[in-house]
């Protein structure tokens, strides 16, 4: 991005950095009121304002000097992207050839063809290691073009060499022609059979870790990781001077989080499906060695390994198929750990999907308030009918049953509870002052209820005392009449 391309942004940035220059007038207080300061103080203020302006110009020059050139950074980003595409191609090529090579090796079809395929895999692996080094050099140049690091920095000083070495270690394991035909035996838990594995089979399983590279390259092609998204975060950092609030660098985890918000079901479904295929293939390689001795062994079939991975990842575990080799059990342990993670993602995705947005919540609140109003109206009608029936019985001088009084009391209590719930639902859409006013009304109603209960208790206590006194008086009169 050139300096001349965005004069408005630079002007707004400068405006945000400007101090309050309108407050340059200084006043002192004397006996006659407010008077301007003397000429010496005014000259000092002018010198202070001049130094402030010099500091401001220096800061603006620093900001303008640190703004990246969008064309240069985009060119470096495109170069980095092309290297990632090359890594994707060679990774997919090595995995595809390895699958074919394993089938040829297991079935003993053609040793010369297998030998050639192993050399193709080794050469592609060396090219992939070289591409990894080129990728990190391109990433370093891209960061320099965006002025994120100093132009004198290197892979070692920036710490990128650590991540590069980890990726190289992930890339190096592969079946190679130098280990062709080397086998070893391990005991299994299936009919005391010894499974015969080859070293290239184990390396073939380790090579499946390159799927991480494919997944990483696919994330780069998301619009959340594009060059424009990098520049958006950078402009917010430069113009607003708020690195702690807006200086967020879009990384792979940022892309995954963004995709979980925009397309959660698609992401979880893809992760689940790809995991089933990869772990199923790894389980087949580990358990297929048993079929040399027993051709009827179930997990030698790819469909059965896929089924085993599905029931293991979903924590069902029917037990109809289970690994018997040590390598197979290790893969099953990894499947269990990954399955817990995938199932957790499914639960979180479903929970977020079932949550209402603001418009749905407002609609739900309105419908609930309408329903509560209807229920309040119905309860009020029932209470009025109950009171009328009790009055009619009183007029006809019929005794009121205890059940009538208890029913009236229960309905009044239900009416009060529902009324409070209705008021609470209104508080969700009102201001803080209105909520406080209603809370005071609730407290006032509760105090009134307590006063009414105290009066009732006082009335009952007075009646009880009068009844006791009347009984004592009756006992005294009965004793006097007997004497």
């Amino acid at each position: 991005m050139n300096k001349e391309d965005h004069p408005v942004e630079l002007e707004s940035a400068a405006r945000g950095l400007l101090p309050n220059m309108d407050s340059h007038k200084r006043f002192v207080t004397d006996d006659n009121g407010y008077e301007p300061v003397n000429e010496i103080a005014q000259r000092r203020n002018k010198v202070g304002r001049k130094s402030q302006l010099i500091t401001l110009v220096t800061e603006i020059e620093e900001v303008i000097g640190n703004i990246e050139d969008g064309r240069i950074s985009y060119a470096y980003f495109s170069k980095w992207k092309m290297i990632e595409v090359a890594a994707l191609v060679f990774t997919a090529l090595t995995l595809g050839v390895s699958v074919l090579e394993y089938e040829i090796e297991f079935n003993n079809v053609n040793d010369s063809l297998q030998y050639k395929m192993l050399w193709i895999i080794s050469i592609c692996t060396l090219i992939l290691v070289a591409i990894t080094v080129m990728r990190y050099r391109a990433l370093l140049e891209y960061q320099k073009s965006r002025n994120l690091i100093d132009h004198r920095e290197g892979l070692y000083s920036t710490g990128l060499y650590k991540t590069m070495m980890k990726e190289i270690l992930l890339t190096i394991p592969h079946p190679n022609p130098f280990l062709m035909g080397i086998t070893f035996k391990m005991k299994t838990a299936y009919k005391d059979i010894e499974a015969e594995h080859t070293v290239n089979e184990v390396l073939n399983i380790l090579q499946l870790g390159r799927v991480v590279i494919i997944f990483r390259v696919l994330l780069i092609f998301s619009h959340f990781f594009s060059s424009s998204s990098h520049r958006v975060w950078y402009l917010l950092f430069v113009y607003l001077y708020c690195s702690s609030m807006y200086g967020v660098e879009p990384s792979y985890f940022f892309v995954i989080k963004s995709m979980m918000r925009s397309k959660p079901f698609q992401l979880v479904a893809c992760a689940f499906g790809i995991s089933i295929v990869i772990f199923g293939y790894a389980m087949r390689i580990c358990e297929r060695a048993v079929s040399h001795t027993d051709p009827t062994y179930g997990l030698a079939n790819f469909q059965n390994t896929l089924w085993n991975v599905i029931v293991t990842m979903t924590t069902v575990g029917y037990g109809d198929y289970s690994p018997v080799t040590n390598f197979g059990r290790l893969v099953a342990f990894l499947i269990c750990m990954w399955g817990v993670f995938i199932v957790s993602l499914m639960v979180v995705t479903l929970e977020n999907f079932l949550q209402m947005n603001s418009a749905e919540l407002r609609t739900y609140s309105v419908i609930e308030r309408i329903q509560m109003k209807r229920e309040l109206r119905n309860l009020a009608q029932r209470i009025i009918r109950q009171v009328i029936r009790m009055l009619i019985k009183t007029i006809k001088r019929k005794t009121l049953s205890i059940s009538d009084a208890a029913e009236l009391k229960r309905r009044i209590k239900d009416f009060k509870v529902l009324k409070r719930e209705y008021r609470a639902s209104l508080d969700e859409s009102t201001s803080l002052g209105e909520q406080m006013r209603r809370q005071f009304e609730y407290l006032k109603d509760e105090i009134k209820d307590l006063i009414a209960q105290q009066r009732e208790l006082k009335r009952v206590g007075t009646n009880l005392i009068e009844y006791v006194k009347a009984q004592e008086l009756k006992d005294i009169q009965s004793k006097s009449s007997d004497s």
Side-chain angles (χ1 to χ4, degrees):
M1 182 182 67
N2 295 327
K3 301 173 186 177
E4 295 82 2
D5 294 340
H6 297 276
V8 179
E9 288 85 346
L10 294 178
E11 183 180 355
S12 61
R15 190 180 298 110
L17 294 172
L18 280 171
N20 189 4
M21 302 303 295
D22 295 332
S23 59
H24 63 276
K25 295 181 179 180
R26 307 289 180 176
F27 295 92
V28 295
T29 305
D30 56 8
D31 297 336
N32 297 325
Y34 289 97
E35 295 291 337
V37 296
N38 53 26
E39 295 180 357
I40 297 176
Q42 288 180 357
R43 284 197 297 270
R44 289 178 180 176
N45 289 336
K46 290 180 180 179
V47 172
R49 291 198 299 273
K50 186 176 181 180
S51 62
Q52 289 179 358
L53 286 173
I54 294 173
T55 304
L56 175 62
V57 170
T58 304
E59 291 179 354
I60 292 176
E61 288 178 351
E62 291 178 356
V63 171
I64 294 175
N66 288 329
I67 293 177
E68 63 172 291
D69 192 330
R71 292 171 296 182
I72 297 177
S73 62
Y74 180 75
Y76 279 109
F77 183 80
S78 301
K79 179 182 177 182
W80 179 35
K81 214 170 185 180
M82 291 301 297
I83 296 175
E84 289 283 9
V85 172
L88 173 65
V89 171
F90 279 95
T91 302
L93 179 62
T94 53
L95 291 177
V97 175
S98 297
V99 171
L100 297 176
E101 184 274 330
Y102 169 72
E103 294 297 328
I104 294 173
E105 178 186 14
F106 186 83
N107 296 312
N108 294 321
V109 177
N110 191 338
D111 291 342
S112 62
L113 181 60
Q114 178 192 354
Y115 188 74
K116 293 177 182 178
M117 285 187 172
L118 289 174
W119 270 111
I120 292 173
I121 295 171
S122 299
I123 293 172
C124 290
T125 300
L126 293 176
I127 295 174
L128 193 57
V129 171
I131 288 175
T132 303
V133 177
M134 293 172 58
R135 171 185 175 272
Y136 278 91
R137 287 185 176 276
L139 177 61
L140 183 68
E141 294 298 327
Y142 173 60
Q143 292 180 350
K144 289 180 180 179
S145 67
R146 295 181 56 229
N147 295 320
L148 296 177
I149 57 177
D150 191 79
H151 289 271
R152 294 169 294 181
E153 298 285 347
L155 291 174
Y156 185 80
S157 59
T158 56
L160 287 175
Y161 77 97
K162 297 179 181 179
T163 312
M164 183 181 69
M165 293 304 299
K166 292 178 183 177
E167 188 171 336
I168 290 175
L169 292 176
L170 179 67
T171 307
I172 286 177
H174 67 282
N176 57 80
F178 305 103
L179 301 175
M180 180 179 173
I182 300 177
T183 61
F184 62 94
K185 293 184 178 181
M186 296 184 69
K187 290 184 178 181
T188 65
Y190 181 74
K191 299 179 181 180
D192 295 331
I193 294 176
E194 286 189 349
E196 185 177 0
H197 301 277
T198 64
V199 178
N200 280 338
E201 285 180 0
V202 180
L203 294 175
N204 220 330
I205 297 171
L206 296 177
Q207 190 180 225
L208 294 176
R210 297 185 186 181
V211 178
V212 177
I213 300 176
I214 298 177
F215 184 67
R216 183 199 67 201
V217 176
L218 294 178
L219 289 179
I220 291 177
F221 283 90
S222 171
H223 64 278
F224 297 109
F225 204 87
S226 61
S227 178
S228 58
S229 66
H230 283 247
R231 198 175 298 114
V232 166
W233 290 109
Y234 181 75
L235 289 176
L236 287 171
F237 170 76
V238 172
Y239 290 149
L240 299 180
Y241 263 76
C242 296
S243 59
S244 60
M245 294 175 60
Y246 299 102
V248 179
E249 188 68 21
S251 59
Y252 300 111
F253 288 107
F254 169 75
V255 177
I256 294 174
K257 292 176 184 178
S258 302
M259 294 180 68
M260 279 297 296
R261 289 185 65 90
S262 59
K263 298 179 180 179
F265 288 103
Q266 292 87 332
L267 182 63
V268 174
C270 289
F272 186 69
I274 294 172
S275 302
I276 291 173
V277 176
I278 293 172
F279 283 117
Y281 181 70
M283 181 69 72
R284 180 173 180 249
I285 294 176
C286 296
E287 297 296 312
R288 202 177 183 186
V290 181
S291 64
H292 287 294
T293 307
D294 186 2
T296 62
Y297 181 61
L299 285 180
N301 192 340
F302 189 52
Q303 289 83 358
N304 293 336
T305 56
L306 292 178
W307 170 250
N308 179 261
V309 171
I310 291 172
V311 298
T312 305
M313 286 183 64
T314 54
T315 66
V316 177
Y318 285 115
D320 48 356
Y321 297 105
S322 59
V324 295
T325 63
N326 294 332
F327 289 124
R329 290 177 175 178
L330 178 60
V331 172
F333 172 75
L334 297 177
I335 293 171
C336 292
M337 296 295 102
W338 182 251
V340 172
F341 176 73
I342 291 294
V343 172
S344 302
L345 279 181
M346 291 180 180
V347 173
V348 172
T349 302
L350 184 60
E351 181 182 359
N352 293 334
F353 175 74
L354 294 177
Q355 287 182 353
M356 296 183 178
N357 54 32
S358 57
E360 291 173 341
L361 283 174
R362 286 194 296 269
T363 306
Y364 168 78
S365 301
V366 171
I367 294 173
E368 281 292 311
R369 286 198 292 269
I370 293 173
Q371 183 63 25
M372 286 182 184
K373 229 173 182 180
R374 291 174 182 173
E375 292 179 2
L376 282 172
R377 191 181 301 111
N378 294 332
L379 274 175
Q381 292 174 359
R382 292 173 187 172
I383 292 172
I384 292 172
R385 285 198 297 266
Q386 183 77 14
V387 171
I388 291 173
R389 282 197 297 267
M390 295 176 67
L391 287 175
I392 292 173
K393 287 184 179 181
T394 306
I395 292 171
K396 293 181 178 181
R397 296 183 179 181
K398 294 181 179 181
T399 57
L400 297 175
S401 62
I402 299 176
S403 60
D404 291 337
E407 181 69 17
L408 179 62
K409 189 174 181 180
R410 184 184 64 81
R411 289 181 176 177
I412 292 174
K413 184 178 179 181
D414 293 342
F415 181 82
K416 290 182 178 180
V417 171
L418 189 58
K419 187 177 180 181
R420 288 176 183 175
E421 291 179 359
Y422 177 74
R423 290 179 177 178
S425 65
L426 291 176
D427 288 341
E428 297 177 358
S429 58
T430 54
S431 61
L432 180 61
E434 186 67 19
Q435 292 182 19
M436 293 179 65
R437 186 184 65 80
R438 286 179 179 165
Q439 291 295 330
F440 280 119
E441 289 181 357
Y442 299 158
L443 291 175
K444 190 185 297 183
D445 293 340
E446 291 179 358
I447 292 172
K448 287 180 180 179
D449 293 339
L450 289 174
I451 292 173
Q453 292 176 5
Q454 289 179 352
R455 288 176 180 174
E456 182 66 19
L457 290 173
K458 183 178 180 181
R459 185 183 64 80
V460 172
T462 304
N463 293 337
L464 183 60
I465 292 172
E466 290 178 354
Y467 175 77
V468 171
K469 287 182 179 180
Q471 290 294 329
E472 290 178 352
L473 183 60
K474 189 182 293 185
D475 293 339
I476 292 173
Q477 289 178 357
S478 60
K479 288 180 181 180
S480 61
S481 61
D482 292 340
S483 61

